[in-house]
Amino acid sequence: MPAAPQRSDALKNREAILQVAHDVLAESGDASLNSIAKRAGVGPGTLYRHFPTREALILEVYQRDVDRLVGSVPDVLAARPPLDALRHWFTTLAAYVRLKHGLGDALNTAAAQEVVSATSASVTAAVGRLLDACERAGEVRPGLDPTDVIMLMSCLWRTPDNPDGAAQANRLLELAIDGFRP
């Protein structure tokens, strides 16, 4: 039997919890579920009804953030020239992956790896779409493999999360883009 649709207040609570969890977990991967519930303006019971475990909440935040990032590609391409869109999108991805790495062991369980693997295809497709736009504009050489580009760009999220790290990430990004040019 299909699940009953959630009431509007339940949906509002769920969205509040997810947004607060995103923010709080960015500040500290060790934040308690009770602190998240309190900041979201809901009781612990409400949080646990939506997310019975810490892992369930973290995985939902992760999935939601990746879906938003992947879904942003059309808007980024509409707002910027293709190569600038690629730069912007990878900078955003790097910032997100730094946050994800800050969650430590929470994203290293078998269930988490299943979600991470499932999102990999959509991230690869998003990078492919950005590369296709750059290729059509003559800004990158033809035939770049999105998985290779992701692997190369992974250096961006390994830089420290500080001004020096940001400067280094920008230099690395430009070195990579120079290598993509025709």
Side-chain angles (χ1 to χ4, degrees):
M1 183 153 57
Q6 288 189 329
R7 298 184 331 242
S8 63
D9 61 329
L11 289 172
K12 183 179 171 187
N13 286 341
R14 181 180 180 80
E15 282 304 307
I17 293 165
L18 287 170
Q19 185 57 53
V20 167
H22 168 86
D23 296 343
V24 169
L25 292 170
E27 296 164 11
S28 169
D30 296 331
S32 73
L33 293 183
N34 286 338
S35 70
I36 291 170
K38 185 175 182 177
R39 271 183 61 178
V42 300
T46 298
L47 185 142
Y48 284 104
R49 264 192 304 284
H50 289 281
F51 307 101
T53 65
R54 177 180 183 75
E55 180 183 45
L57 176 60
I58 290 171
L59 291 177
E60 185 74 21
V61 168
Y62 174 82
Q63 180 74 55
R64 180 175 174 249
D65 288 350
V66 170
D67 289 347
R68 284 182 172 178
L69 182 62
V70 166
S72 74
V73 169
D75 292 337
V76 172
L77 283 169
R80 300 168 182 266
L83 197 56
D84 189 42
L86 181 81
R87 280 183 183 98
H88 175 79
W89 196 85
F90 266 107
T91 300
T92 303
L93 175 64
Y96 178 67
V97 172
R98 277 190 209 100
L99 164 66
K100 179 179 80 85
H101 283 182
L103 299 179
D105 294 333
L107 287 174
N108 289 325
T109 65
Q113 288 309 303
E114 192 174 303
V115 172
V116 170
S117 294
T119 60
S120 175
S122 63
V123 170
T124 302
V127 172
R129 187 167 181 183
L130 289 160
L131 290 172
D132 288 345
C134 290
E135 187 178 324
R136 283 191 306 275
E139 296 175 319
V140 301
R141 66 174 176 250
L144 291 174
D145 183 310
T147 56
D148 291 346
V149 171
I150 292 168
M151 180 66 76
L152 182 62
M153 294 298 210
S154 71
C155 65
L156 300 178
W157 49 85
R158 289 181 168 80
T159 60
D161 192 15
N162 59 40
D164 289 340
Q168 183 180 37
N170 285 333
R171 290 191 309 271
L172 291 168
L173 178 62
E174 291 310 314
L175 281 171
I177 287 174
D178 284 347
F180 301 160
R181 294 188 191 276

